Amino acid sequence: MRTQPKLRGGCFALALTLILASCGGNTSTSGSSSSSSSSSSSSSSSSSSSSSSSSSSSSSSSSSSSSSSSSSSSSSSGSLSKFCPSNSACKILPLGDSITDGVGVTGGGGYRIELFRLATEAGRDITFVGTFANGPTNVAGVPFPRNHEGVSGETIAQIHNRVRNQALRDNPNIILVHAGTNDMWSGASGAPQRLATLIDDLFTRAPNALIVVSNIIPWPQMSTAVNQYNSQITSLINQRINEGKNIVFVDQNTGFPSGELADGIHPNTQGYARMAAKWYNAIYEHLVDIN
C-alpha cells in the first residue's frame, strides 16, 4: 500500500488556490450555461406559447368559419327537400272550391298566379297539378301551369269525394287545402270533423306529400259560422303534427281585410296575392333552389 505524500506549507496553499479557482470557474460556467439554457427554455416556451396562441387563433378562426358556413348552409332553404324532387318541378296540388279555382279574378287562377310568380322569381321550380285548368298563359315571363283541383260550390265532403277518385292522379308533392267555405251555408256544425276525415285520408292516399291546410278566409255574411269553424282547425292540425304527420297550418284568415273581397266571399286580385304570400311562406323551405 502506497502512502500519499503530504503537502506542506506554500505548496498546500498553492494547491488549495488552484482547486478553489478551478471549482469557481466550473461553477461560473455551469451557472452561465444554466442561465443560457433557462433563457433558451424561456424563449422556447415563449415561442411555444406564441405558436399555441397562433394555433388557438387559427382554431378559433376555423371554428368561426365553420360556424358561419353551417349557418349559411342552414339558412339556404331549398337546396334539399324532404318532399320535392331535386331533378324536376315540385308538383303542388291546389285543392278546394271556388277560391282555389280563382273566382273573383278574370280568367281564374286566383292565388296560384302570385304563388307561381313568387316561386319562379326566387328560383324555385314548381308546377301545379289537378284535373281542371284555368288562369293566364304566362306569368313572370314563363308558361303558367294552369292545373288545379278547385270546384266552385263544393263542400268538404264533395272535395273529399274527388280525392277518392281523380284528384291525386299526378302524385303531388305538396297539397294546399282551403276547404269549408260552402259548408258554412249550413253552419259550422260537423265541418271540422269532415275536414279532419279529409286530411286523414290524404295522409293515407298521399303518404309522402306535405299537407298544407289553412283556415278559411273571412266571409262577413257568415262570420259567426266561419269563426266557429276556424277556431277548431288549429287544434286538429296540432294534434296531427304531434303525431308526426306531414302537415302544416296556414292562417289565411287573420288580417284579411273585407276590402280585398271582390264580392263579399271571393278575394279580388289583392286578396289572392295575400293568400299566395301566406302559402309561399309556408312551403318555401321545402322547395328546391334551381339557381
Side-chain angles (χ1 to χ4, degrees), residues 154-197:
E154 287 202 340
T155 63
I156 296 170
Q158 291 170 315
I159 294 169
H160 191 176
N161 188 55
R162 279 188 285 120
V163 167
R164 294 187 184 99
N165 292 284
Q166 79 275 14
L168 303 179
R169 68 178 186 180
D170 295 307
N171 297 314
N173 305 116
I174 297 175
I175 302 174
L176 308 180
V177 182
H178 182 280
T181 300
N182 291 299
D183 293 71
M184 298 304 102
W185 287 109
S186 302
S189 179
Q193 291 70 35
R194 291 190 292 275
L195 179 65
T197 301

mmCIF file of all heavy atoms in Angstrom, residues 154-197:
data_model
loop_
_atom_site.group_PDB
_atom_site.id
_atom_site.type_symbol
_atom_site.label_atom_id
_atom_site.label_comp_id
_atom_site.label_asym_id
_atom_site.label_seq_id
_atom_site.Cartn_x
_atom_site.Cartn_y
_atom_site.Cartn_z
ATOM 1 N N GLU A 154 -118.400 23.529 -54.054
ATOM 2 C CA GLU A 154 -118.267 22.234 -53.374
ATOM 3 C C GLU A 154 -117.991 22.352 -51.875
ATOM 4 O O GLU A 154 -117.255 23.220 -51.421
ATOM 5 C CB GLU A 154 -117.176 21.395 -54.041
ATOM 6 C CG GLU A 154 -117.584 20.842 -55.390
ATOM 7 C CD GLU A 154 -116.770 19.630 -55.797
ATOM 8 O OE1 GLU A 154 -115.671 19.423 -55.254
ATOM 9 O OE2 GLU A 154 -117.243 18.868 -56.668
ATOM 10 N N THR A 155 -118.598 21.425 -51.151
ATOM 11 C CA THR A 155 -118.383 21.313 -49.709
ATOM 12 C C THR A 155 -117.178 20.410 -49.435
ATOM 13 O O THR A 155 -116.622 19.812 -50.365
ATOM 14 C CB THR A 155 -119.620 20.693 -49.041
ATOM 15 O OG1 THR A 155 -119.796 19.364 -49.561
ATOM 16 C CG2 THR A 155 -120.877 21.525 -49.292
ATOM 17 N N ILE A 156 -116.831 20.274 -48.169
ATOM 18 C CA ILE A 156 -115.705 19.405 -47.792
ATOM 19 C C ILE A 156 -115.960 17.973 -48.245
ATOM 20 O O ILE A 156 -115.065 17.305 -48.784
ATOM 21 C CB ILE A 156 -115.479 19.439 -46.262
ATOM 22 C CG1 ILE A 156 -115.076 20.840 -45.817
ATOM 23 C CG2 ILE A 156 -114.406 18.428 -45.852
ATOM 24 C CD1 ILE A 156 -115.053 21.044 -44.309
ATOM 25 N N ALA A 157 -117.167 17.484 -48.053
ATOM 26 C CA ALA A 157 -117.497 16.112 -48.439
ATOM 27 C C ALA A 157 -117.342 15.905 -49.945
ATOM 28 O O ALA A 157 -116.854 14.857 -50.398
ATOM 29 C CB ALA A 157 -118.925 15.769 -48.002
ATOM 30 N N GLN A 158 -117.754 16.887 -50.732
ATOM 31 C CA GLN A 158 -117.628 16.769 -52.183
ATOM 32 C C GLN A 158 -116.165 16.829 -52.633
ATOM 33 O O GLN A 158 -115.749 16.119 -53.551
ATOM 34 C CB GLN A 158 -118.449 17.875 -52.857
ATOM 35 C CG GLN A 158 -119.953 17.678 -52.693
ATOM 36 C CD GLN A 158 -120.754 18.891 -53.142
ATOM 37 O OE1 GLN A 158 -120.411 20.032 -52.825
ATOM 38 N NE2 GLN A 158 -121.840 18.644 -53.891
ATOM 39 N N ILE A 159 -115.403 17.671 -51.983
ATOM 40 C CA ILE A 159 -113.962 17.743 -52.266
ATOM 41 C C ILE A 159 -113.309 16.410 -51.921
ATOM 42 O O ILE A 159 -112.485 15.888 -52.675
ATOM 43 C CB ILE A 159 -113.314 18.890 -51.456
ATOM 44 C CG1 ILE A 159 -113.847 20.244 -51.947
ATOM 45 C CG2 ILE A 159 -111.790 18.839 -51.565
ATOM 46 C CD1 ILE A 159 -113.484 21.407 -51.049
ATOM 47 N N HIS A 160 -113.719 15.843 -50.797
ATOM 48 C CA HIS A 160 -113.182 14.554 -50.372
ATOM 49 C C HIS A 160 -113.522 13.466 -51.396
ATOM 50 O O HIS A 160 -112.703 12.573 -51.659
ATOM 51 C CB HIS A 160 -113.736 14.186 -48.998
ATOM 52 C CG HIS A 160 -113.052 13.027 -48.359
ATOM 53 N ND1 HIS A 160 -113.349 12.586 -47.076
ATOM 54 C CD2 HIS A 160 -112.073 12.188 -48.799
ATOM 55 C CE1 HIS A 160 -112.588 11.549 -46.775
ATOM 56 N NE2 HIS A 160 -111.806 11.295 -47.819
ATOM 57 N N ASN A 161 -114.686 13.545 -51.979
ATOM 58 C CA ASN A 161 -115.074 12.554 -52.973
ATOM 59 C C ASN A 161 -114.145 12.608 -54.190
ATOM 60 O O ASN A 161 -113.795 11.567 -54.770
ATOM 61 C CB ASN A 161 -116.530 12.794 -53.407
ATOM 62 C CG ASN A 161 -117.052 11.672 -54.294
ATOM 63 O OD1 ASN A 161 -117.005 10.501 -53.916
ATOM 64 N ND2 ASN A 161 -117.541 12.015 -55.485
ATOM 65 N N ARG A 162 -113.701 13.800 -54.563
ATOM 66 C CA ARG A 162 -112.749 13.920 -55.665
ATOM 67 C C ARG A 162 -111.381 13.351 -55.278
ATOM 68 O O ARG A 162 -110.671 12.800 -56.117
ATOM 69 C CB ARG A 162 -112.606 15.381 -56.098
ATOM 70 C CG ARG A 162 -113.721 15.829 -57.020
ATOM 71 C CD ARG A 162 -113.467 17.205 -57.595
ATOM 72 N NE ARG A 162 -113.682 18.264 -56.635
ATOM 73 C CZ ARG A 162 -112.753 19.119 -56.249
ATOM 74 N NH1 ARG A 162 -111.526 19.025 -56.699
ATOM 75 N NH2 ARG A 162 -113.047 20.075 -55.389
ATOM 76 N N VAL A 163 -111.023 13.475 -54.018
ATOM 77 C CA VAL A 163 -109.755 12.895 -53.545
ATOM 78 C C VAL A 163 -109.793 11.375 -53.673
ATOM 79 O O VAL A 163 -108.803 10.736 -54.027
ATOM 80 C CB VAL A 163 -109.481 13.305 -52.078
ATOM 81 C CG1 VAL A 163 -108.361 12.466 -51.465
ATOM 82 C CG2 VAL A 163 -109.128 14.793 -51.997
ATOM 83 N N ARG A 164 -110.954 10.796 -53.436
ATOM 84 C CA ARG A 164 -111.097 9.337 -53.551
ATOM 85 C C ARG A 164 -111.020 8.882 -55.006
ATOM 86 O O ARG A 164 -110.791 7.710 -55.290
ATOM 87 C CB ARG A 164 -112.440 8.895 -52.962
ATOM 88 C CG ARG A 164 -112.582 9.113 -51.471
ATOM 89 C CD ARG A 164 -113.879 8.473 -50.978
ATOM 90 N NE ARG A 164 -114.122 8.737 -49.568
ATOM 91 C CZ ARG A 164 -114.951 9.691 -49.112
ATOM 92 N NH1 ARG A 164 -115.603 10.458 -49.982
ATOM 93 N NH2 ARG A 164 -115.126 9.878 -47.824
ATOM 94 N N ASN A 165 -111.232 9.812 -55.911
ATOM 95 C CA ASN A 165 -111.245 9.450 -57.323
ATOM 96 C C ASN A 165 -110.030 10.013 -58.063
ATOM 97 O O ASN A 165 -108.948 9.457 -57.984
ATOM 98 C CB ASN A 165 -112.565 9.913 -57.955
ATOM 99 C CG ASN A 165 -113.749 9.125 -57.413
ATOM 100 O OD1 ASN A 165 -113.960 7.979 -57.785
ATOM 101 N ND2 ASN A 165 -114.522 9.723 -56.514
ATOM 102 N N GLN A 166 -110.196 11.167 -58.725
ATOM 103 C CA GLN A 166 -109.154 11.601 -59.650
ATOM 104 C C GLN A 166 -108.136 12.601 -59.094
ATOM 105 O O GLN A 166 -107.076 12.798 -59.690
ATOM 106 C CB GLN A 166 -109.805 12.235 -60.889
ATOM 107 C CG GLN A 166 -110.303 13.673 -60.713
ATOM 108 C CD GLN A 166 -111.694 13.784 -60.131
ATOM 109 O OE1 GLN A 166 -112.233 12.806 -59.610
ATOM 110 N NE2 GLN A 166 -112.275 14.968 -60.223
ATOM 111 N N ALA A 167 -108.412 13.241 -57.983
ATOM 112 C CA ALA A 167 -107.619 14.403 -57.564
ATOM 113 C C ALA A 167 -106.126 14.130 -57.390
ATOM 114 O O ALA A 167 -105.299 14.996 -57.647
ATOM 115 C CB ALA A 167 -108.189 14.980 -56.267
ATOM 116 N N LEU A 168 -105.768 12.924 -56.954
ATOM 117 C CA LEU A 168 -104.361 12.624 -56.643
ATOM 118 C C LEU A 168 -103.649 11.855 -57.758
ATOM 119 O O LEU A 168 -102.574 11.299 -57.533
ATOM 120 C CB LEU A 168 -104.274 11.823 -55.336
ATOM 121 C CG LEU A 168 -104.898 12.477 -54.106
ATOM 122 C CD1 LEU A 168 -104.766 11.554 -52.903
ATOM 123 C CD2 LEU A 168 -104.259 13.827 -53.817
ATOM 124 N N ARG A 169 -104.213 11.865 -58.944
ATOM 125 C CA ARG A 169 -103.670 11.044 -60.030
ATOM 126 C C ARG A 169 -102.226 11.410 -60.407
ATOM 127 O O ARG A 169 -101.482 10.594 -60.931
ATOM 128 C CB ARG A 169 -104.559 11.169 -61.264
ATOM 129 C CG ARG A 169 -104.528 12.551 -61.897
ATOM 130 C CD ARG A 169 -105.363 12.665 -63.151
ATOM 131 N NE ARG A 169 -105.174 13.969 -63.801
ATOM 132 C CZ ARG A 169 -105.785 14.334 -64.913
ATOM 133 N NH1 ARG A 169 -106.639 13.503 -65.496
ATOM 134 N NH2 ARG A 169 -105.554 15.520 -65.442
ATOM 135 N N ASP A 170 -101.828 12.673 -60.145
ATOM 136 C CA ASP A 170 -100.477 13.118 -60.533
ATOM 137 C C ASP A 170 -99.450 12.971 -59.412
ATOM 138 O O ASP A 170 -98.330 13.471 -59.539
ATOM 139 C CB ASP A 170 -100.522 14.579 -60.992
ATOM 140 C CG ASP A 170 -101.349 14.755 -62.259
ATOM 141 O OD1 ASP A 170 -101.060 14.034 -63.236
ATOM 142 O OD2 ASP A 170 -102.277 15.584 -62.266
ATOM 143 N N ASN A 171 -99.839 12.318 -58.332
ATOM 144 C CA ASN A 171 -98.925 12.105 -57.194
ATOM 145 C C ASN A 171 -98.256 13.404 -56.747
ATOM 146 O O ASN A 171 -97.027 13.568 -56.840
ATOM 147 C CB ASN A 171 -97.853 11.068 -57.555
ATOM 148 C CG ASN A 171 -98.434 9.716 -57.857
ATOM 149 O OD1 ASN A 171 -99.289 9.210 -57.133
ATOM 150 N ND2 ASN A 171 -97.979 9.118 -58.960
ATOM 151 N N PRO A 172 -99.026 14.351 -56.229
ATOM 152 C CA PRO A 172 -98.464 15.648 -55.823
ATOM 153 C C PRO A 172 -97.466 15.526 -54.671
ATOM 154 O O PRO A 172 -97.571 14.627 -53.835
ATOM 155 C CB PRO A 172 -99.699 16.446 -55.390
ATOM 156 C CG PRO A 172 -100.698 15.400 -54.993
ATOM 157 C CD PRO A 172 -100.468 14.262 -55.942
ATOM 158 N N ASN A 173 -96.507 16.445 -54.657
ATOM 159 C CA ASN A 173 -95.529 16.505 -53.563
ATOM 160 C C ASN A 173 -96.052 17.350 -52.406
ATOM 161 O O ASN A 173 -95.732 17.099 -51.246
ATOM 162 C CB ASN A 173 -94.216 17.105 -54.066
ATOM 163 C CG ASN A 173 -93.659 16.375 -55.266
ATOM 164 O OD1 ASN A 173 -93.546 16.928 -56.354
ATOM 165 N ND2 ASN A 173 -93.305 15.108 -55.098
ATOM 166 N N ILE A 174 -96.821 18.375 -52.743
ATOM 167 C CA ILE A 174 -97.405 19.287 -51.747
ATOM 168 C C ILE A 174 -98.871 19.490 -52.094
ATOM 169 O O ILE A 174 -99.227 19.674 -53.264
ATOM 170 C CB ILE A 174 -96.676 20.651 -51.729
ATOM 171 C CG1 ILE A 174 -95.211 20.468 -51.303
ATOM 172 C CG2 ILE A 174 -97.383 21.636 -50.806
ATOM 173 C CD1 ILE A 174 -94.388 21.754 -51.365
ATOM 174 N N ILE A 175 -99.747 19.448 -51.083
ATOM 175 C CA ILE A 175 -101.184 19.649 -51.298
ATOM 176 C C ILE A 175 -101.640 20.838 -50.457
ATOM 177 O O ILE A 175 -101.458 20.851 -49.225
ATOM 178 C CB ILE A 175 -101.980 18.389 -50.904
ATOM 179 C CG1 ILE A 175 -101.490 17.176 -51.714
ATOM 180 C CG2 ILE A 175 -103.477 18.615 -51.126
ATOM 181 C CD1 ILE A 175 -102.109 15.846 -51.287
ATOM 182 N N LEU A 176 -102.195 21.853 -51.120
ATOM 183 C CA LEU A 176 -102.711 23.041 -50.434
ATOM 184 C C LEU A 176 -104.218 22.897 -50.275
ATOM 185 O O LEU A 176 -104.945 22.751 -51.270
ATOM 186 C CB LEU A 176 -102.399 24.304 -51.251
ATOM 187 C CG LEU A 176 -100.937 24.519 -51.685
ATOM 188 C CD1 LEU A 176 -100.808 25.820 -52.482
ATOM 189 C CD2 LEU A 176 -100.004 24.530 -50.485
ATOM 190 N N VAL A 177 -104.694 22.930 -49.037
ATOM 191 C CA VAL A 177 -106.120 22.701 -48.774
ATOM 192 C C VAL A 177 -106.772 23.940 -48.167
ATOM 193 O O VAL A 177 -106.404 24.388 -47.072
ATOM 194 C CB VAL A 177 -106.320 21.504 -47.798
ATOM 195 C CG1 VAL A 177 -107.810 21.256 -47.579
ATOM 196 C CG2 VAL A 177 -105.628 20.256 -48.324
ATOM 197 N N HIS A 178 -107.722 24.501 -48.909
ATOM 198 C CA HIS A 178 -108.587 25.573 -48.389
ATOM 199 C C HIS A 178 -110.008 25.103 -48.654
ATOM 200 O O HIS A 178 -110.502 25.169 -49.779
ATOM 201 C CB HIS A 178 -108.301 26.895 -49.096
ATOM 202 C CG HIS A 178 -109.121 28.051 -48.573
ATOM 203 N ND1 HIS A 178 -110.436 28.257 -48.946
ATOM 204 C CD2 HIS A 178 -108.815 29.038 -47.693
ATOM 205 C CE1 HIS A 178 -110.894 29.341 -48.320
ATOM 206 N NE2 HIS A 178 -109.933 29.830 -47.557
ATOM 207 N N ALA A 179 -110.652 24.579 -47.626
ATOM 208 C CA ALA A 179 -111.965 23.951 -47.806
ATOM 209 C C ALA A 179 -112.870 24.246 -46.611
ATOM 210 O O ALA A 179 -112.395 24.361 -45.480
ATOM 211 C CB ALA A 179 -111.796 22.440 -47.976
ATOM 212 N N GLY A 180 -114.168 24.336 -46.891
ATOM 213 C CA GLY A 180 -115.135 24.538 -45.813
ATOM 214 C C GLY A 180 -116.024 25.742 -45.997
ATOM 215 O O GLY A 180 -117.041 25.877 -45.307
ATOM 216 N N THR A 181 -115.694 26.623 -46.924
ATOM 217 C CA THR A 181 -116.500 27.835 -47.113
ATOM 218 C C THR A 181 -117.957 27.494 -47.448
ATOM 219 O O THR A 181 -118.893 28.061 -46.867
ATOM 220 C CB THR A 181 -115.897 28.714 -48.234
ATOM 221 O OG1 THR A 181 -114.560 29.083 -47.871
ATOM 222 C CG2 THR A 181 -116.724 29.971 -48.448
ATOM 223 N N ASN A 182 -118.172 26.549 -48.357
ATOM 224 C CA ASN A 182 -119.543 26.216 -48.763
ATOM 225 C C ASN A 182 -120.305 25.452 -47.681
ATOM 226 O O ASN A 182 -121.545 25.455 -47.683
ATOM 227 C CB ASN A 182 -119.522 25.419 -50.068
ATOM 228 C CG ASN A 182 -119.072 26.286 -51.233
ATOM 229 O OD1 ASN A 182 -119.701 27.286 -51.561
ATOM 230 N ND2 ASN A 182 -117.954 25.922 -51.845
ATOM 231 N N ASP A 183 -119.570 24.825 -46.765
ATOM 232 C CA ASP A 183 -120.245 24.168 -45.635
ATOM 233 C C ASP A 183 -120.898 25.195 -44.717
ATOM 234 O O ASP A 183 -121.842 24.861 -43.984
ATOM 235 C CB ASP A 183 -119.227 23.354 -44.822
ATOM 236 C CG ASP A 183 -118.683 22.162 -45.585
ATOM 237 O OD1 ASP A 183 -117.896 22.370 -46.532
ATOM 238 O OD2 ASP A 183 -119.019 21.025 -45.247
ATOM 239 N N MET A 184 -120.384 26.440 -44.730
ATOM 240 C CA MET A 184 -120.874 27.462 -43.805
ATOM 241 C C MET A 184 -122.313 27.885 -44.105
ATOM 242 O O MET A 184 -122.979 28.477 -43.249
ATOM 243 C CB MET A 184 -119.960 28.690 -43.827
ATOM 244 C CG MET A 184 -118.526 28.418 -43.373
ATOM 245 S SD MET A 184 -118.380 27.691 -41.717
ATOM 246 C CE MET A 184 -118.082 25.959 -42.091
ATOM 247 N N TRP A 185 -122.816 27.565 -45.309
ATOM 248 C CA TRP A 185 -124.224 27.838 -45.598
ATOM 249 C C TRP A 185 -125.124 27.111 -44.593
ATOM 250 O O TRP A 185 -126.219 27.591 -44.260
ATOM 251 C CB TRP A 185 -124.592 27.365 -47.008
ATOM 252 C CG TRP A 185 -124.046 28.205 -48.130
ATOM 253 C CD1 TRP A 185 -123.058 27.874 -49.000
ATOM 254 C CD2 TRP A 185 -124.471 29.519 -48.498
ATOM 255 N NE1 TRP A 185 -122.829 28.894 -49.891
ATOM 256 C CE2 TRP A 185 -123.702 29.927 -49.610
ATOM 257 C CE3 TRP A 185 -125.460 30.405 -47.996
ATOM 258 C CZ2 TRP A 185 -123.855 31.161 -50.234
ATOM 259 C CZ3 TRP A 185 -125.619 31.636 -48.625
ATOM 260 C CH2 TRP A 185 -124.814 32.009 -49.733
ATOM 261 N N SER A 186 -124.639 25.962 -44.132
ATOM 262 C CA SER A 186 -125.430 25.167 -43.175
ATOM 263 C C SER A 186 -124.907 25.327 -41.754
ATOM 264 O O SER A 186 -125.350 24.626 -40.844
ATOM 265 C CB SER A 186 -125.377 23.688 -43.569
ATOM 266 O OG SER A 186 -125.866 23.510 -44.886
ATOM 267 N N GLY A 187 -123.936 26.190 -41.549
ATOM 268 C CA GLY A 187 -123.357 26.385 -40.224
ATOM 269 C C GLY A 187 -122.100 25.546 -40.043
ATOM 270 O O GLY A 187 -121.759 24.691 -40.873
ATOM 271 N N ALA A 188 -121.420 25.773 -38.920
ATOM 272 C CA ALA A 188 -120.122 25.130 -38.681
ATOM 273 C C ALA A 188 -120.235 23.711 -38.141
ATOM 274 O O ALA A 188 -119.240 22.970 -38.125
ATOM 275 C CB ALA A 188 -119.302 25.980 -37.706
ATOM 276 N N SER A 189 -121.409 23.327 -37.694
ATOM 277 C CA SER A 189 -121.568 22.020 -37.063
ATOM 278 C C SER A 189 -121.116 20.871 -37.971
ATOM 279 O O SER A 189 -121.588 20.740 -39.100
ATOM 280 C CB SER A 189 -123.040 21.809 -36.679
ATOM 281 O OG SER A 189 -123.216 20.535 -36.096
ATOM 282 N N GLY A 190 -120.191 20.064 -37.453
ATOM 283 C CA GLY A 190 -119.705 18.888 -38.167
ATOM 284 C C GLY A 190 -118.613 19.174 -39.188
ATOM 285 O O GLY A 190 -117.912 18.253 -39.641
ATOM 286 N N ALA A 191 -118.424 20.436 -39.566
ATOM 287 C CA ALA A 191 -117.437 20.771 -40.597
ATOM 288 C C ALA A 191 -115.999 20.460 -40.168
ATOM 289 O O ALA A 191 -115.225 19.901 -40.969
ATOM 290 C CB ALA A 191 -117.574 22.237 -41.007
ATOM 291 N N PRO A 192 -115.592 20.777 -38.947
ATOM 292 C CA PRO A 192 -114.222 20.439 -38.535
ATOM 293 C C PRO A 192 -113.953 18.935 -38.593
ATOM 294 O O PRO A 192 -112.856 18.509 -38.968
ATOM 295 C CB PRO A 192 -114.127 20.973 -37.095
ATOM 296 C CG PRO A 192 -115.151 22.055 -37.028
ATOM 297 C CD PRO A 192 -116.275 21.558 -37.900
ATOM 298 N N GLN A 193 -114.945 18.137 -38.230
ATOM 299 C CA GLN A 193 -114.788 16.688 -38.268
ATOM 300 C C GLN A 193 -114.662 16.186 -39.710
ATOM 301 O O GLN A 193 -113.879 15.283 -40.003
ATOM 302 C CB GLN A 193 -115.966 15.998 -37.574
ATOM 303 C CG GLN A 193 -116.014 16.189 -36.054
ATOM 304 C CD GLN A 193 -116.372 17.615 -35.644
ATOM 305 O OE1 GLN A 193 -117.173 18.284 -36.314
ATOM 306 N NE2 GLN A 193 -115.780 18.082 -34.553
ATOM 307 N N ARG A 194 -115.434 16.790 -40.609
ATOM 308 C CA ARG A 194 -115.326 16.406 -42.017
ATOM 309 C C ARG A 194 -113.951 16.788 -42.584
ATOM 310 O O ARG A 194 -113.369 16.042 -43.385
ATOM 311 C CB ARG A 194 -116.451 17.064 -42.835
ATOM 312 C CG ARG A 194 -117.840 16.514 -42.524
ATOM 313 C CD ARG A 194 -118.888 16.994 -43.508
ATOM 314 N NE ARG A 194 -119.180 18.421 -43.422
ATOM 315 C CZ ARG A 194 -120.057 18.957 -42.573
ATOM 316 N NH1 ARG A 194 -120.709 18.185 -41.710
ATOM 317 N NH2 ARG A 194 -120.282 20.253 -42.572
ATOM 318 N N LEU A 195 -113.446 17.933 -42.164
ATOM 319 C CA LEU A 195 -112.106 18.347 -42.592
ATOM 320 C C LEU A 195 -111.050 17.376 -42.066
ATOM 321 O O LEU A 195 -110.133 16.977 -42.798
ATOM 322 C CB LEU A 195 -111.799 19.766 -42.109
ATOM 323 C CG LEU A 195 -110.405 20.300 -42.473
ATOM 324 C CD1 LEU A 195 -110.258 20.457 -43.985
ATOM 325 C CD2 LEU A 195 -110.128 21.628 -41.768
ATOM 326 N N ALA A 196 -111.208 16.972 -40.813
ATOM 327 C CA ALA A 196 -110.254 16.020 -40.215
ATOM 328 C C ALA A 196 -110.251 14.700 -40.974
ATOM 329 O O ALA A 196 -109.191 14.099 -41.216
ATOM 330 C CB ALA A 196 -110.596 15.786 -38.743
ATOM 331 N N THR A 197 -111.440 14.248 -41.372
ATOM 332 C CA THR A 197 -111.543 12.996 -42.127
ATOM 333 C C THR A 197 -110.863 13.125 -43.489
ATOM 334 O O THR A 197 -110.166 12.207 -43.945
ATOM 335 C CB THR A 197 -113.025 12.612 -42.320
ATOM 336 O OG1 THR A 197 -113.648 12.472 -41.030
ATOM 337 C CG2 THR A 197 -113.157 11.302 -43.079
#
